[in-house]
Amino acid sequence: MKAGVNDELCRGHGVCVAVCPEVFWLTDDGYAEAQDGDVAPEHEAGVREAIEACPERAITAG
Ligand code: SF4
């Protein structure tokens, strides 16, 4: 699994960071980014939880 954040949708609530800080963080601009490359298997559930929790539906994974 790879995770991403749609810049145009993200509003910087930080819910994703609270749910899965191993994969998501907020930049100095206040918007989220996701790690490059494959998400470690033990963090995939956290990514799925973040997808569900994001109020803007800005997180993608595949
Ligand atoms: S929860 Fe969604 S809108 Fe909020 S910072 Fe994360 S990706 Fe952006």
Side-chain angles (χ1 to χ4, degrees):
M1 172 197 279
K2 295 183 192 306
V5 175
N6 183 326
D7 294 348
E8 295 184 7
L9 296 177
C10 178
R11 291 294 175 267
H13 306 288
V15 179
C16 53
V17 182
V19 169
C20 189
E22 298 86 356
V23 175
F24 300 98
W25 65 90
L26 291 180
T27 67
D28 290 344
D29 293 336
Y31 296 100
E33 284 186 352
Q35 71 165 64
D36 288 331
D38 287 331
V39 172
E42 63 266 35
H43 298 145
E44 290 186 359
V47 171
R48 281 191 279 272
E49 197 178 329
I51 289 170
E52 292 297 318
C54 174
E56 309 298 335
R57 293 282 184 250
I59 299 171
T60 58

Coordinates of all heavy atoms in Angstrom, one line a residue:
M1 N 0.8 -1.2 0.0 CA 0.0 0.0 0.0 C 0.9 1.2 0.0 O 1.9 1.3 0.7 CB -0.9 0.0 1.3 CG -1.7 1.3 1.5 SD -2.3 1.5 3.1 CE -3.8 0.5 3.1
K2 N 0.5 2.2 -0.8 CA 1.1 3.6 -0.8 C 0.0 4.5 -0.4 O -1.2 4.4 -0.8 CB 1.6 4.0 -2.1 CG 2.8 3.1 -2.6 CD 3.4 3.6 -3.9 CE 4.3 2.7 -4.6 NZ 5.4 2.2 -3.7
A3 N 0.3 5.6 0.4 CA -0.7 6.6 0.9 C -0.3 7.9 0.3 O 0.8 8.2 0.0 CB -0.7 6.6 2.4
G4 N -1.4 8.7 0.0 CA -1.1 10.1 -0.5 C -2.2 11.0 0.1 O -3.2 10.6 0.6
V5 N -1.9 12.3 -0.1 CA -2.8 13.4 0.4 C -3.1 14.3 -0.8 O -2.1 14.7 -1.5 CB -2.3 14.2 1.5 CG1 -3.2 15.3 1.9 CG2 -2.1 13.3 2.8
N6 N -4.3 14.5 -1.2 CA -4.7 15.4 -2.2 C -4.6 16.8 -1.7 O -5.4 17.3 -0.8 CB -6.1 15.1 -2.7 CG -6.6 16.0 -3.8 OD1 -6.2 17.2 -3.9 ND2 -7.4 15.4 -4.7
D7 N -3.6 17.6 -2.2 CA -3.3 18.9 -1.8 C -4.5 19.9 -1.9 O -4.7 20.8 -1.1 CB -2.2 19.6 -2.6 CG -0.9 18.9 -2.3 OD1 -0.8 18.1 -1.4 OD2 0.1 19.1 -3.1
E8 N -5.3 19.6 -2.9 CA -6.4 20.5 -3.2 C -7.6 20.3 -2.2 O -8.4 21.2 -2.1 CB -6.9 20.4 -4.6 CG -5.8 20.8 -5.6 CD -6.3 20.7 -7.1 OE1 -7.5 20.5 -7.3 OE2 -5.5 20.9 -7.9
L9 N -7.6 19.1 -1.6 CA -8.7 18.8 -0.7 C -8.3 19.0 0.8 O -9.2 19.4 1.6 CB -9.2 17.4 -0.9 CG -9.9 17.1 -2.2 CD1 -10.2 15.6 -2.3 CD2 -11.1 17.9 -2.5
C10 N -7.1 18.8 1.1 CA -6.6 18.9 2.5 C -6.8 20.3 3.1 O -6.5 21.3 2.4 CB -5.1 18.5 2.6 SG -4.5 18.6 4.2
R11 N -7.4 20.3 4.3 CA -7.6 21.6 5.0 C -6.8 21.7 6.3 O -7.0 22.6 7.1 CB -9.1 21.8 5.3 CG -9.9 22.0 4.0 CD -9.6 23.4 3.4 NE -10.3 23.6 2.1 CZ -9.8 23.2 0.9 NH1 -8.6 22.7 0.8 NH2 -10.4 23.5 -0.2
G12 N -5.9 20.7 6.5 CA -5.0 20.8 7.6 C -5.6 20.5 9.0 O -5.1 21.0 10.0
H13 N -6.7 19.8 9.0 CA -7.3 19.5 10.3 C -6.3 18.7 11.2 O -6.4 18.7 12.5 CB -8.5 18.6 10.2 CG -9.5 19.3 9.3 ND1 -10.3 20.4 9.6 CD2 -10.0 18.9 8.0 CE1 -11.1 20.7 8.6 NE2 -10.9 19.8 7.7
G14 N -5.5 17.9 10.6 CA -4.5 17.1 11.4 C -5.1 15.8 11.9 O -4.4 15.1 12.7
V15 N -6.3 15.4 11.6 CA -6.9 14.2 12.1 C -6.0 13.0 11.7 O -5.8 12.1 12.4 CB -8.3 14.0 11.6 CG1 -8.9 12.7 12.1 CG2 -9.2 15.2 12.0
C16 N -5.5 13.0 10.4 CA -4.7 11.9 9.9 C -3.5 11.7 10.8 O -3.0 10.6 11.1 CB -4.4 12.1 8.5 SG -3.6 13.8 8.2
V17 N -2.9 12.8 11.2 CA -1.7 12.8 12.0 C -2.0 12.2 13.4 O -1.2 11.5 13.9 CB -1.0 14.2 12.1 CG1 0.3 14.2 12.9 CG2 -0.8 14.8 10.7
A18 N -3.1 12.6 13.9 CA -3.5 12.1 15.2 C -3.7 10.6 15.1 O -3.4 9.8 16.1 CB -4.7 12.8 15.7
V19 N -4.3 10.1 14.0 CA -4.7 8.7 13.9 C -3.4 7.9 13.5 O -3.3 6.8 14.1 CB -5.8 8.5 12.8 CG1 -6.0 7.1 12.5 CG2 -7.1 9.2 13.3
C20 N -2.6 8.4 12.7 CA -1.5 7.5 12.1 C -0.2 8.4 11.9 O 0.1 8.7 10.8 CB -1.9 6.9 10.8 SG -0.8 5.6 10.2
P21 N 0.4 8.8 13.0 CA 1.6 9.7 12.9 C 2.8 9.0 12.3 O 3.7 9.7 11.9 CB 1.8 10.1 14.4 CG 1.3 9.0 15.2 CD 0.1 8.5 14.4
E22 N 2.7 7.7 12.1 CA 3.9 7.0 11.5 C 3.9 7.3 10.0 O 4.9 7.1 9.4 CB 3.7 5.5 11.7 CG 3.8 5.1 13.2 CD 2.4 5.1 13.9 OE1 1.4 5.5 13.2 OE2 2.4 4.7 15.1
V23 N 2.8 7.7 9.4 CA 2.7 7.8 8.0 C 2.4 9.3 7.6 O 2.9 9.7 6.5 CB 1.6 6.9 7.4 CG1 1.4 7.1 5.9 CG2 1.9 5.4 7.7
F24 N 1.7 10.0 8.4 CA 1.2 11.4 8.0 C 1.9 12.4 9.0 O 2.1 12.1 10.1 CB -0.3 11.5 8.1 CG -1.0 10.6 7.3 CD1 -1.5 9.4 7.7 CD2 -1.2 10.8 5.9 CE1 -2.2 8.5 6.9 CE2 -1.9 10.0 5.1 CZ -2.4 8.8 5.6
W25 N 2.1 13.6 8.4 CA 2.6 14.7 9.2 C 2.1 16.0 8.6 O 1.7 16.0 7.4 CB 4.1 14.7 9.3 CG 4.8 14.9 8.0 CD1 5.2 16.1 7.5 CD2 5.2 13.9 7.0 NE1 5.8 15.9 6.2 CE2 5.8 14.6 6.0 CE3 5.1 12.5 7.0 CZ2 6.3 13.9 4.8 CZ3 5.5 11.8 5.9 CH2 6.1 12.5 4.8
L26 N 2.2 17.0 9.4 CA 1.8 18.4 8.9 C 3.0 19.1 8.5 O 4.0 19.1 9.2 CB 1.0 19.2 9.9 CG -0.4 18.6 10.3 CD1 -1.0 19.6 11.3 CD2 -1.3 18.6 9.0
T27 N 3.0 19.8 7.3 CA 4.1 20.6 6.9 C 4.1 21.9 7.6 O 3.1 22.3 8.3 CB 4.1 20.8 5.4 OG1 2.9 21.6 5.1 CG2 3.9 19.5 4.6
D28 N 5.1 22.7 7.4 CA 5.1 24.1 8.0 C 4.0 24.9 7.4 O 3.5 25.9 8.1 CB 6.4 24.8 7.6 CG 7.6 24.2 8.4 OD1 7.4 23.4 9.4 OD2 8.8 24.4 8.0
D29 N 3.4 24.6 6.3 CA 2.3 25.3 5.7 C 1.0 24.9 6.4 O -0.1 25.5 6.1 CB 2.2 25.0 4.2 CG 3.3 25.7 3.4 OD1 3.9 26.6 4.0 OD2 3.6 25.2 2.3
G30 N 1.0 23.8 7.2 CA -0.2 23.4 7.9 C -1.0 22.4 7.2 O -2.2 22.1 7.6
Y31 N -0.5 21.8 6.1 CA -1.2 20.7 5.4 C -0.5 19.4 5.5 O 0.7 19.4 5.9 CB -1.4 21.1 3.9 CG -2.2 22.4 3.7 CD1 -1.6 23.6 3.5 CD2 -3.6 22.3 3.8 CE1 -2.3 24.8 3.4 CE2 -4.3 23.5 3.7 CZ -3.7 24.7 3.5 OH -4.4 25.9 3.4
A32 N -1.3 18.4 5.3 CA -0.7 17.0 5.5 C 0.1 16.5 4.4 O -0.3 16.8 3.2 CB -1.8 16.1 5.9
E33 N 1.1 15.7 4.7 CA 1.8 14.9 3.7 C 1.8 13.5 4.2 O 1.8 13.2 5.4 CB 3.2 15.5 3.4 CG 3.3 16.7 2.6 CD 4.7 17.1 2.3 OE1 5.6 16.5 2.8 OE2 4.8 18.1 1.5
A34 N 2.0 12.6 3.2 CA 2.1 11.2 3.6 C 3.5 10.7 3.1 O 4.1 11.3 2.2 CB 1.1 10.3 2.9
Q35 N 4.0 9.7 3.8 CA 5.3 9.2 3.4 C 5.3 8.7 2.0 O 4.3 8.2 1.4 CB 5.7 8.0 4.4 CG 4.8 6.8 4.1 CD 5.4 5.5 4.8 OE1 5.5 5.5 6.0 NE2 5.8 4.6 4.0
D36 N 6.5 8.7 1.4 CA 6.7 8.1 0.1 C 6.9 6.6 0.2 O 7.3 6.2 1.3 CB 7.9 8.7 -0.6 CG 7.7 10.2 -1.1 OD1 6.5 10.5 -1.4 OD2 8.6 10.9 -1.1
G37 N 6.6 5.9 -0.8 CA 6.9 4.5 -0.8 C 5.9 3.7 -0.1 O 4.8 4.2 0.4
D38 N 6.2 2.4 0.1 CA 5.2 1.5 0.6 C 5.1 1.7 2.1 O 6.0 1.9 2.9 CB 5.7 0.0 0.4 CG 5.5 -0.4 -1.0 OD1 4.6 0.2 -1.7 OD2 6.3 -1.2 -1.5
V39 N 3.8 1.7 2.6 CA 3.5 1.8 4.0 C 3.8 0.4 4.6 O 3.5 -0.6 4.1 CB 2.0 2.1 4.2 CG1 1.6 2.0 5.6 CG2 1.7 3.5 3.6
A40 N 4.4 0.4 5.8 CA 4.7 -0.8 6.5 C 3.4 -1.5 6.8 O 2.4 -0.9 7.1 CB 5.5 -0.5 7.7
P41 N 3.4 -2.8 6.7 CA 2.2 -3.6 6.9 C 1.5 -3.3 8.2 O 0.3 -3.2 8.3 CB 2.6 -5.0 6.9 CG 3.8 -5.0 6.0 CD 4.5 -3.7 6.3
E42 N 2.3 -3.0 9.3 CA 1.7 -2.8 10.6 C 1.0 -1.4 10.6 O 0.3 -1.1 11.6 CB 2.7 -2.9 11.7 CG 3.9 -1.9 11.6 CD 5.1 -2.5 10.9 OE1 4.9 -3.3 9.9 OE2 6.2 -2.1 11.2
H43 N 1.2 -0.6 9.6 CA 0.6 0.8 9.6 C -0.6 0.9 8.6 O -1.2 1.9 8.6 CB 1.6 1.8 9.4 CG 2.7 1.9 10.4 ND1 4.0 2.2 10.1 CD2 2.7 1.7 11.7 CE1 4.7 2.2 11.2 NE2 3.9 1.9 12.2
E44 N -0.8 -0.2 7.9 CA -1.9 -0.1 6.9 C -3.3 0.1 7.6 O -4.1 0.9 7.0 CB -1.9 -1.4 6.1 CG -0.7 -1.5 5.1 CD -0.8 -2.6 4.2 OE1 -1.8 -3.4 4.2 OE2 0.2 -2.8 3.4
A45 N -3.5 -0.5 8.7 CA -4.8 -0.3 9.4 C -4.9 1.2 9.8 O -6.0 1.8 9.7 CB -4.9 -1.2 10.6
G46 N -3.8 1.8 10.2 CA -3.9 3.2 10.6 C -4.2 4.1 9.4 O -4.9 5.1 9.5
V47 N -3.6 3.7 8.2 CA -3.9 4.5 7.0 C -5.4 4.4 6.7 O -6.1 5.4 6.4 CB -3.1 4.1 5.9 CG1 -3.5 4.7 4.6 CG2 -1.6 4.4 6.1
R48 N -5.9 3.2 6.8 CA -7.4 3.0 6.5 C -8.2 3.8 7.5 O -9.2 4.4 7.1 CB -7.7 1.5 6.5 CG -7.3 0.8 5.2 CD -7.9 -0.6 5.2 NE -7.1 -1.5 6.0 CZ -6.1 -2.2 5.5 NH1 -5.7 -2.1 4.3 NH2 -5.4 -3.0 6.3
E49 N -7.8 3.8 8.7 CA -8.5 4.6 9.7 C -8.5 6.1 9.4 O -9.5 6.8 9.5 CB -7.9 4.3 11.1 CG -8.8 4.7 12.3 CD -8.2 4.3 13.6 OE1 -7.4 3.3 13.7 OE2 -8.4 5.0 14.6
A50 N -7.3 6.5 9.0 CA -7.2 7.9 8.6 C -8.0 8.3 7.4 O -8.6 9.4 7.4 CB -5.7 8.2 8.3
I51 N -8.1 7.4 6.5 CA -9.0 7.6 5.3 C -10.4 7.8 5.8 O -11.1 8.8 5.3 CB -8.9 6.5 4.3 CG1 -7.5 6.5 3.6 CG2 -10.0 6.5 3.3 CD1 -7.2 5.2 2.8
E52 N -10.9 7.0 6.7 CA -12.3 7.1 7.2 C -12.4 8.4 8.0 O -13.5 9.0 8.0 CB -12.6 5.9 8.0 CG -12.7 4.6 7.3 CD -13.8 4.6 6.2 OE1 -14.9 5.1 6.6 OE2 -13.6 4.2 5.1
A53 N -11.4 8.8 8.7 CA -11.5 9.9 9.6 C -11.3 11.3 9.0 O -11.8 12.3 9.5 CB -10.5 9.7 10.8
C54 N -10.7 11.3 7.8 CA -10.4 12.6 7.2 C -11.7 13.3 6.8 O -12.5 12.8 6.0 CB -9.5 12.4 6.0 SG -9.3 14.0 5.1
P55 N -12.0 14.5 7.3 CA -13.3 15.2 7.0 C -13.4 15.6 5.6 O -14.5 15.9 5.1 CB -13.3 16.4 8.0 CG -12.1 16.2 8.9 CD -11.2 15.2 8.3
E56 N -12.2 15.8 4.9 CA -12.2 16.2 3.5 C -12.1 15.1 2.5 O -12.0 15.4 1.3 CB -11.1 17.3 3.3 CG -11.0 18.4 4.3 CD -12.3 19.3 4.3 OE1 -13.0 19.3 3.3 OE2 -12.6 19.9 5.4
R57 N -12.0 13.9 3.0 CA -11.8 12.8 2.1 C -10.6 13.0 1.2 O -10.6 12.8 0.0 CB -13.0 12.5 1.2 CG -14.2 12.0 2.0 CD -14.0 10.5 2.3 NE -15.2 9.9 3.0 CZ -15.1 9.5 4.3 NH1 -14.1 9.7 5.0 NH2 -16.2 9.0 4.8
A58 N -9.5 13.5 1.8 CA -8.3 14.0 1.0 C -7.3 12.9 0.9 O -6.3 13.1 0.2 CB -7.7 15.2 1.7
I59 N -7.4 11.8 1.6 CA -6.4 10.7 1.7 C -6.7 9.6 0.7 O -7.8 9.2 0.6 CB -6.3 10.1 3.1 CG1 -5.9 11.3 4.1 CG2 -5.2 9.0 3.1 CD1 -6.0 10.8 5.5
T60 N -5.7 9.3 -0.1 CA -5.8 8.2 -1.0 C -4.8 7.1 -0.6 O -3.8 7.3 0.0 CB -5.5 8.6 -2.5 OG1 -4.2 9.2 -2.5 CG2 -6.5 9.7 -2.9
A61 N -5.2 5.9 -1.0 CA -4.3 4.8 -0.8 C -4.5 3.7 -1.8 O -5.7 3.5 -2.3 CB -4.5 4.2 0.6
G62 N -3.5 3.0 -2.2 CA -3.7 2.0 -3.2 C -2.4 1.1 -3.3 O -1.5 1.4 -2.6
Ligands
SF4_1 S1 -7.3 14.7 8.1 FE1 -7.5 15.1 5.9 S2 -7.9 17.3 5.7 FE2 -7.0 16.9 7.7 S3 -4.8 17.2 7.6 FE3 -5.2 15.0 7.2 S4 -5.5 14.8 5.0 FE4 -5.7 17.0 5.5

